[in-house]
Amino acid sequence: VLDFNDPFSTEVKPRILLMGLRRSGKSSIQKVVFHKMSPNETLFLESTNKICREDVSNSSFVNFQIWDFPGQIDFFDPTFDYEMIFRGTGALIFVIDSQDDYMEALARLHLTVTRAYKVNPDINFEIFIHKVDGLSDDHKIETQRDIHQRANDDLADAGLEKIHLSFYLTSIYDHSIFEAFSKVVQKLIPQLPTLENLLNIFISNSGIEKAFLFDVVSKIYIATDSTPVDMQTYELCCDMIDVVIDISCIYGLKDDGTGTPYDKESMAIIKLNNTTVLYLKEVTKFLALVCFVREESFERKGLIDYNFHCFRKAIQEVFEVRMKVVRSRKHQSHMQKNKRPTPNGTPRLPL
């Protein structure tokens, strides 16, 4: 099982900023996605009055540093070093309350994006049109179209048409927030094209309809094959992970309570009433592969298991290569540091 601690963690632990006006739902999103808080419990969260910097989870592959910004942050305040913050950022998530008047939010979005882009053009700008659970389907589409049009028109008027904004309809009361966060996270994983290619090879040779590579802690999928993602399919996969982890926590631990509920022996098969089989297998101590298979294809389970063994081995090799690259860079940086002269001009002696 791979260990994603240092030095590899520096490659998969980028900074994500959560921004938006007060009471837009930023803290609630973080608590629901990464801390398994019930959506109803978020009603009692206090408003954020200072920048909260947090490492989301130490037991997860998706192990980001998330900065939750209060809505009243003033970019023109001289004590606010926005250049330092934006320089090391991988993604900026701006949350807009769809049930409120969003004109002020759009003005703040424009200011935030233009400031961040000047400092770091490589930031991914993600717009969460949030709290859509209270809107009708037609109202959701109309709200998304209006916000999309206004935000891009503001950028065009400023001569910044090349800035790309991604928009998502989200709610903490369904799986849409996990789906949106999955799309954000995938953009920050350098191995994504390789993972998608491996999944495509796996499903085409195994008779599988759809496959997701899940982070079991957050239920974010870090990769899937090239076939379209159906929301109902994704929800079923999330529910299956919950079932596996919950049952494992009850029956999978040793008598003294030690051990881990999810390990290399973890596996589950659920047959649905529409001739489809849900199949979950452990890939690493952080990742699970969840597949949708037709019953007739699942009769060749031996073939699927053999192909899965090859897939898991390939996944481990992908990350081992990445770890070697990181170690090499770290070693080169250390050597260059030792070659620098000391303050009095004499060369440093190698340690």
Side-chain angles (χ1 to χ4, degrees):
V1 178
L2 291 177
D3 179 11
F4 292 107
N5 292 326
D6 186 74
F8 184 65
S9 61
T10 59
E11 297 290 311
V12 295
K13 193 177 179 181
R15 180 188 302 163
I16 296 178
L17 307 185
L18 268 175
M19 292 185 165
L21 298 184
R22 293 181 73 252
R23 311 306 299 176
S24 59
K26 304 183 296 297
S27 300
S28 299
I29 290 172
Q30 181 182 344
K31 295 297 184 182
V32 168
V33 174
F34 294 105
H35 294 272
K36 295 187 178 294
M37 180 179 283
S38 167
N40 292 323
E41 292 179 30
T42 63
L43 297 173
F44 305 102
L45 288 176
E46 295 182 1
S47 181
T48 304
N49 55 18
K50 63 179 181 179
I51 298 175
C52 297
R53 184 173 60 185
E54 180 182 8
D55 287 336
V56 173
S57 173
N58 292 322
S59 59
S60 168
F61 174 81
V62 181
N63 191 7
F64 298 117
Q65 190 179 74
I66 287 197
W67 292 35
D68 185 2
F69 283 75
Q72 64 271 22
I73 198 77
D74 182 8
F75 287 103
F76 296 101
D77 187 334
T79 62
F80 180 70
D81 190 358
Y82 67 87
E83 289 195 8
M84 180 275 295
I85 292 172
F86 291 144
R87 194 176 297 118
T89 295
L92 191 157
I93 298 174
F94 195 93
V95 183
I96 297 177
D97 185 348
S98 65
Q99 298 185 30
D100 198 3
D101 180 12
Y102 44 77
M103 291 301 114
E104 183 184 353
L106 286 170
R108 178 63 62 88
L109 168 66
H110 181 73
L111 173 64
T112 304
V113 168
T114 51
R115 282 289 176 98
Y117 184 80
K118 289 178 181 178
V119 176
N120 182 2
D122 295 326
I123 292 179
N124 294 309
F125 296 106
E126 319 287 350
I127 317 304
F128 285 8
I129 303 171
H130 197 48
K131 302 182 184 179
V132 296
D133 50 276
L135 307 180
S136 65
D137 290 342
D138 290 341
H139 197 179
K140 287 180 188 178
I141 296 172
E142 183 59 35
T143 300
Q144 182 176 18
R145 184 185 297 118
D146 188 42
I147 291 176
H148 183 281
Q149 184 70 41
R150 291 176 183 274
N152 283 303
D153 285 350
D154 288 343
L155 291 176
D157 292 342
L160 296 170
E161 300 96 332
K162 56 187 174 182
I163 298 180
H164 176 70
L165 306 178
S166 299
F167 295 85
Y168 310 86
L169 294 171
T170 61
S171 168
I172 59 174
Y173 290 95
D174 57 32
H175 289 81
S176 60
I177 190 62
F178 294 94
E179 164 80 3
F181 242 106
S182 296
K183 296 292 181 62
V184 172
V185 165
Q186 288 168 25
K187 296 178 184 179
L188 304 179
I189 297 176
Q191 301 86 359
L192 180 64
T194 304
L195 298 178
E196 290 179 342
N197 188 41
L198 288 173
L199 285 167
N200 285 330
I201 295 170
F202 172 67
I203 68 167
S204 63
N205 288 283
S206 306
I208 291 173
E209 301 286 319
K210 185 69 180 171
F212 294 90
L213 192 59
F214 271 93
D215 172 72
V216 293
V217 176
S218 65
K219 293 185 296 186
I220 285 175
Y221 69 93
I222 66 167
T224 186
D225 58 83
S226 57
T227 60
V229 175
D230 175 58
M231 196 62 184
Q232 188 177 12
T233 301
Y234 174 66
E235 290 176 4
L236 283 170
C237 293
C238 289
D239 292 343
M240 184 182 194
I241 291 175
D242 283 336
V243 169
V244 171
I245 297 300
D246 289 346
I247 293 179
S248 296
C249 286
I250 298 171
Y251 300 105
L253 300 178
K254 297 178 182 179
D255 293 338
D256 58 358
T258 61
T260 56
Y262 181 79
D263 56 29
K264 61 183 179 181
E265 302 298 327
S266 295
M267 184 267 289
I269 301 170
I270 298 177
K271 291 188 177 181
L272 306 179
N273 58 6
N274 61 351
T275 70
T276 304
V277 177
L278 273 174
Y279 189 33
L280 180 146
K281 291 275 285 183
E282 186 261 8
V283 179
T284 75
K285 63 182 178 181
F286 303 119
L287 304 177
L289 183 72
V290 184
C291 308
F292 265 73
V293 194
R294 294 291 176 188
E295 278 190 3
E296 57 269 24
S297 299
F298 196 69
E299 292 175 358
R300 299 177 294 170
K301 182 175 177 296
L303 173 64
I304 295 175
D305 286 344
Y306 175 78
N307 288 339
F308 171 78
H309 173 75
C310 297
F311 170 80
R312 178 161 59 179
K313 185 178 179 182
I315 290 289
Q316 292 177 346
E317 289 176 356
V318 167
F319 291 125
E320 284 170 0
V321 168
R322 191 67 182 175
M323 289 173 73
K324 289 178 181 177
V325 171
V326 174
R327 290 190 185 115
S328 175
R329 289 176 181 170
K330 193 173 182 181
H331 177 70
Q332 290 177 357
S333 175
H334 179 70
M335 293 296 290
Q336 290 175 353
K337 188 180 293 185
N338 284 337
K339 287 181 180 179
R340 294 174 189 162
T342 57
N344 61 8
T346 59
R348 296 180 185 270
L349 294 176
L351 298 177

